[in-house]
Amino acid sequence: MPFEIVRNDITRMRVDAIVNAANNSLLGGGGVDGAIHRAAGPQLLEECRALGGCKTGEAKLTRGYRLPCKYVIHTVGPIWRGGSEGEEALLAVCYRNALAIARQQGCDSVAFPLISAGVYGYPKDQALRVAATEIERFLQEADMMIYLVAYTRDAIVPDARLFGEVAAYIDDVYVREHRDFGREARRSQYLRDGAPRGVPDPGSLFRRPHREDNARNETVFSEANVERLTALQGETPEDAQTRTAETFSEMLIRKLEEKGMSDMACTARANVDRRLFGKIRNNAGYRPAKQTALAFAIALELSLEEARELLVKAGFSLSHGDKRDIVVEYCLINGHYNVTSINEILFKLDLQPLGY
Ligand code: APR
């Protein structure tokens, strides 16, 4: 997984380089700066002294000394002064410069703290947005394992609106699924009157698929789903036969071609390692982990039906017994196709991320 948010103390990260949120003197301080200097030992300070400080937005390299990493890349984030003094641009350039140094040093892995989101007062959600945007941009054209290390779970503040919508959806669907024993009665009501606006009938949409009758699943969809289903059903019986006979890999490649997406763009969007993608492309029978299949469904911006179909070909189904599936379902239904934003929400909910 090229980009992962993890809960840890950055001084424990076994990576090629960790990034320090330093100050202009580079002579240590509190927060992550203090933790790194304490863990690295006095030689780090000695080397920093020789660097002659660091301008805000710039980055400088030292060795890691007693830390379990080869290098420390020191960068100085902007102090938040309300957002109208170029803070965002300065913070973005911290990530860019640190990543450029990591690449120059031939690092395969690097760990960042959330720069400026502590003492320097940068709003956590905006600091996360800048970090994610710069890391995603870098991974469009570079191979590296990048960790964003959250010292505490509340250090990560996802997009409030999306998080609120997802939490409400989980609550609604999850509670309904696990409270409503009269689900069959509800299903017949759905069959009679159709699904209420906005929320599909989970009983019908996510019944465990029986392979032989999967295509004939008699289900009640919202208008949008009916449209998509009709589109699918608009195909000829031969097309339908070919489609159902496709393997996961074949369907993935077909959707990639239909969307005109390159392998590189798809793996970056899906947060999937390029080598894994190569295995999937070169082995028609390859079946990935569920988190990878879900990541591709999102990255390829599939409809709910197409996503279900892709999952079945990998040997999985979306289940309302799994909160992560409910998050993905909500995002598929509502057109939220950013794997990084979804992973921020999954991190917050302490659920496994998408990708690999
Ligand atoms: N591991 C990972 N993250 C950590 C750790 C740690 N050991 N300690 C703190 N953090 C997190 C904080 O929770 C915050 O999310 O690092 C992020 C950055 O916070 P700060 O360390 O306060 O850095 P910053 O906001 O950039 O302020 C820099 O603080 O420490 C001083 O000398 C430093 O003057 C500089 C200023």
Side-chain angles (χ1 to χ4, degrees):
M1 185 159 347
F3 174 30
E4 191 170 354
I5 301 173
V6 294
R7 173 103 191 273
N8 204 341
D9 174 341
I10 202 165
T11 63
R12 295 169 184 275
M13 293 295 288
R14 296 189 172 284
V15 288
D16 289 341
I18 62 172
V19 176
N20 180 21
N23 57 51
N24 298 111
S25 72
L26 290 188
L27 300 180
V32 73
D33 193 6
I36 288 174
H37 274 274
R38 280 192 299 278
Q43 291 169 292
L44 177 62
L45 185 57
E46 260 170 62
E47 187 174 356
C48 283
R49 278 210 177 90
L51 293 175
C54 181
K55 285 202 190 92
T56 300
E58 284 187 4
K60 293 193 175 177
L61 180 82
T62 66
R63 289 172 48 206
Y65 299 103
R66 291 185 199 151
L67 287 159
C69 59
K70 270 188 257 176
Y71 307 109
V72 179
I73 299 170
H74 306 263
T75 188
V76 182
I79 295 171
W80 179 255
R81 302 183 198 285
S84 55
E85 298 191 17
E87 294 95 323
E88 184 175 336
L90 273 171
L91 184 58
V93 90
C94 283
Y95 286 93
R96 259 179 249 158
N97 286 334
L99 287 166
I101 289 178
R103 197 178 195 177
Q104 275 155 19
Q105 290 304 121
C107 295
D108 291 326
S109 54
V110 65
F112 282 90
L114 209 51
I115 300 165
S116 286
V119 167
Y120 280 3
Y122 210 108
K124 292 185 175 69
D125 58 336
Q126 295 180 52
L128 176 61
R129 221 36 310 110
V130 172
T133 304
E134 289 309 317
I135 291 168
E136 278 180 333
R137 180 180 305 165
F138 178 80
L139 289 172
Q140 290 284 341
E141 38 86 39
D143 260 341
M144 198 180 284
M145 181 63 229
I146 301 175
Y147 297 96
L148 185 58
V149 183
Y151 197 41
T152 58
R153 199 160 291 279
D154 67 13
I156 297 296
V157 178
D159 172 86
R161 191 179 56 76
L162 180 57
F163 187 69
E165 288 172 8
V166 165
Y169 189 70
I170 289 175
D171 194 42
D172 176 51
V173 169
Y174 200 71
V175 165
R176 196 150 44 83
E177 279 287 284
H178 291 78
R179 179 193 58 206
D180 176 3
F181 302 109
R183 192 168 58 171
E184 276 320 302
R186 289 173 68 83
R187 245 177 57 72
S188 54
Q189 177 266 322
Y190 274 119
L191 288 172
R192 217 180 27 255
D193 313 338
R197 292 204 58 70
V199 179
D201 163 21
S204 62
L205 279 178
F206 294 95
R207 191 172 45 228
R208 201 161 298 291
H210 303 291
R211 290 183 194 261
E212 57 289 350
D213 73 359
N214 190 34
R216 287 193 307 281
N217 248 347
E218 157 237 350
T219 50
V220 177
F221 289 85
S222 63
E223 287 107 58
N225 283 324
V226 167
E227 250 168 63
R228 282 191 279 256
L229 195 68
T230 320
L232 281 179
Q233 285 172 340
E235 62 191 348
T236 62
E238 296 71 28
D239 293 351
Q241 185 53 34
T242 326
R243 191 168 50 76
T244 31
E246 263 178 338
T247 65
F248 172 86
S249 169
E250 289 161 347
M251 181 176 174
L252 182 71
I253 305 301
R254 174 171 60 85
K255 296 309 291 182
L256 205 63
E257 285 157 6
E258 282 173 14
K259 304 269 179 183
M261 210 183 273
S262 69
D263 291 9
M264 205 154 170
C266 183
T267 45
R269 286 169 58 99
N271 193 26
V272 169
D273 185 286
R274 284 198 195 117
R275 284 161 300 215
L276 172 58
F277 191 86
K279 277 193 206 150
I280 295 172
R281 182 178 263 288
N282 300 325
N283 171 357
Y286 192 93
R287 285 189 162 192
K290 185 169 186 178
Q291 64 198 94
T292 307
L294 289 170
F296 279 122
I298 294 282
L300 288 164
E301 302 188 2
L302 299 187
S303 69
L304 201 52
E305 295 70 51
E306 290 172 322
R308 283 182 64 222
E309 205 180 320
L310 187 68
L311 273 170
V312 165
K313 292 176 186 297
F316 303 109
S317 66
L318 279 173
S319 152
H320 277 184
D322 178 334
K323 281 191 181 177
R324 179 181 64 182
D325 286 10
I326 300 174
V327 174
V328 172
E329 172 194 316
Y330 178 82
C331 293
L332 286 166
I333 292 173
N334 293 280
H336 296 293
Y337 296 123
N338 182 301
V339 168
T340 302
S341 304
I342 295 171
N343 279 346
E344 290 163 14
I345 289 173
L346 295 175
F347 175 84
K348 198 73 186 169
L349 295 171
D350 202 8
L351 299 171
Q352 280 301 308
L354 306 184
Y356 251 102

